[in-house]
Amino acid sequence: MEPTNHSLTRLDTMPDGMLCLIISKVGAALSTGYCNAVLTCKSLNFGLDDPLIAKTLSVAPLVERPHLANGYEKMMESLLAANNLDAHYVKGMREYFYFDNHFLGLHHLRLASKGDHK
């Protein structure tokens, strides 16, 4: 039996759209997966300015502990601009409970719930 020559597709030969979709799926599953992928492969130049990445990025640790978002204002702004449901939830919880801004807090919580946030 002859050995087959299966060649793996290299990342640098894949179209940017496909790479972006892959990275967005990794980030939607786990934010640390997104960070690790971008840190270990410099050619994956997809940041939070990409709407697909920002909209789907999971920020589960911040959902569980919204007060930790204090150090991530710039990231939260990018995610909110892309209508990230996790970011709306975190913003809503922080505004309502931590900053006593019930109107803005409920606004963000409503956006998260209308988008089927868990």
Side-chain angles (χ1 to χ4, degrees):
M1 210 169 193
E2 290 182 30
T4 57
N5 185 8
H6 294 285
S7 62
L8 296 175
T9 303
R10 293 176 27 154
L11 287 178
D12 59 356
T13 64
M14 296 176 79
D16 281 348
M18 185 180 292
L19 287 172
C20 184
L21 181 63
I22 292 168
I23 295 302
S24 73
K25 297 290 185 185
V26 168
L30 190 61
S31 58
T32 54
Y34 163 77
C35 292
N36 289 337
V38 172
L39 287 173
T40 57
C41 188
K42 299 297 182 201
S43 66
L44 297 176
N45 197 16
F46 302 109
L48 295 179
D49 56 334
D50 185 290
L52 181 61
I53 302 288
K55 183 175 177 102
T56 59
L57 184 67
S58 168
V59 288
L62 298 180
V63 169
E64 293 172 11
R65 295 182 187 97
H67 67 281
L68 295 177
N70 291 340
Y72 299 97
E73 287 87 8
K74 186 171 170 97
M75 178 189 76
M76 289 295 292
E77 287 175 19
S78 295
L79 299 183
L80 288 168
N83 201 27
N84 181 298
L85 299 180
D86 283 349
H88 280 296
Y89 175 82
V90 171
K91 177 79 171 177
M93 294 298 283
R94 293 180 75 222
E95 290 295 333
Y96 192 91
F97 291 105
Y98 298 116
F99 301 122
D100 216 20
N101 187 344
H102 298 163
F103 181 77
L104 187 57
L106 288 174
H107 168 73
H108 284 284
L109 290 171
R110 187 176 308 111
L111 290 173
S113 69
K114 284 187 181 226
D116 292 331
H117 189 271
K118 302 173 203 156

